[in-house]
Amino acid sequence: MMTFKKIVTSAFVVLLGTSLYAGNRNKSMEFYFTPQYIDGKNLDFGGEVKADIDSSVSFGFGLGYNFTPNWNLGVLFSYAEADYEATYYDKNGDLDTNRHTLYTSSINLVGTYNFMDGDFTPFVSGHIGYTHTNTGISNGEYYWGCDPFYWGPCFPYEGAYTENSMNYGGFVGVRYDFDNHFFIKGAVGVNVIDYNSQNSADFTVYQITLGSTF
């Protein structure tokens, strides 16, 4: 089965390969790998239903196009796992509190404005997209799953409650382009996931980006 670790490894291979095809930032494609640190958050869904989400690390990779040295538009894929303590009503209607793991995968359209044309520039970016959340809480149902990559056997697995949500946010940061067509970015921002919670699901995110133009 294709694991996220294999995806990250493949992303690094592509990132190194693209550095062989040189080009400046103007009218260039770029590929990048983005580790992120996400601050924890307490969410209140009303009726004593709550989620105390721990801080976590997310990984993502993206592809963008520099229309000019200033304007970039791209797409970012990301994945995160976070432990959390959930208080919820179980299938019997009883209030229960347990530790679980939250799994989220996202795809975002990202627009970036670089304030300067040179190698060093501050920037701002905004994004909007879609997040799939697996709560890790059993829904009491079982399904059959098969390994699509290695023709492995099919097996039963326990289903979990999931949710599909819009997300949006923005970042501010700085970027530096090296002569060998690698670049590095550091940024801090907010990602808001449109969960049906009474308090805003706005997560503070710290981001490092390693990439290459080609």
Side-chain angles (χ1 to χ4, degrees):
M1 182 175 179
M2 180 67 78
T3 65
F4 189 72
K5 183 178 180 180
K6 291 180 180 178
I7 294 174
V8 171
T9 302
S10 299
F12 269 121
V13 171
V14 175
L15 179 61
L16 291 173
T18 57
S19 67
L20 300 177
Y21 301 94
N24 56 35
R25 196 166 73 219
N26 185 43
K27 298 188 183 304
S28 66
M29 297 289 294
E30 60 184 40
F31 180 84
Y32 55 90
F33 175 67
T34 307
Q36 302 179 115
Y37 180 82
I38 306 171
D39 274 348
K41 185 77 176 181
N42 296 326
L43 299 180
D44 185 351
F45 296 92
E48 299 186 87
V49 177
K50 301 178 181 179
D52 184 3
I53 304 172
D54 295 348
S55 297
S56 63
V57 175
S58 166
F59 297 95
F61 60 93
L63 188 68
Y65 181 74
N66 294 293
F67 293 91
T68 72
N70 305 101
W71 290 102
N72 178 284
L73 184 65
V75 61
L76 172 66
F77 304 89
S78 59
Y79 175 85
E81 297 181 9
D83 294 330
Y84 73 108
E85 183 174 275
T87 300
Y88 57 95
Y89 291 96
D90 62 21
K91 60 184 178 181
N92 298 318
D94 299 321
L95 195 65
D96 195 9
T97 299
N98 279 300
R99 296 283 295 178
H100 297 276
T101 300
L102 195 71
Y103 307 90
T104 59
S105 53
S106 302
I107 179 171
N108 279 276
L109 184 68
V110 184
T112 302
Y113 179 73
N114 298 301
F115 288 95
M116 300 177 183
D117 295 348
D119 291 338
F120 176 81
T121 177
F123 70 87
V124 293
S125 69
H127 64 269
I128 186 168
Y130 163 94
T131 296
H132 175 76
T133 302
N134 182 324
T135 65
I137 299 174
S138 172
N139 62 8
E141 299 180 4
Y142 285 84
Y143 307 90
W144 280 93
C146 303
D147 189 331
F149 297 100
Y150 299 110
W151 303 93
C154 295
F155 51 89
Y157 67 92
E158 190 172 14
Y161 289 105
T162 62
E163 184 170 343
N164 299 316
S165 311
M166 285 192 63
N167 68 273
Y168 56 91
F171 284 82
V172 295
V174 293
R175 169 177 176 144
Y176 187 81
D177 288 82
F178 296 93
D179 290 340
N180 60 0
H181 304 284
F182 278 98
F183 66 86
I184 186 170
K185 296 164 65 174
V188 60
V190 174
N191 182 45
V192 181
I193 303 177
D194 192 19
Y195 292 139
N196 187 27
S197 58
Q198 295 187 349
N199 55 325
S200 177
D202 52 337
F203 295 86
T204 301
V205 182
Y206 303 90
Q207 188 179 78
I208 294 292
T209 300
L210 303 173
S212 177
T213 56
F214 57 99

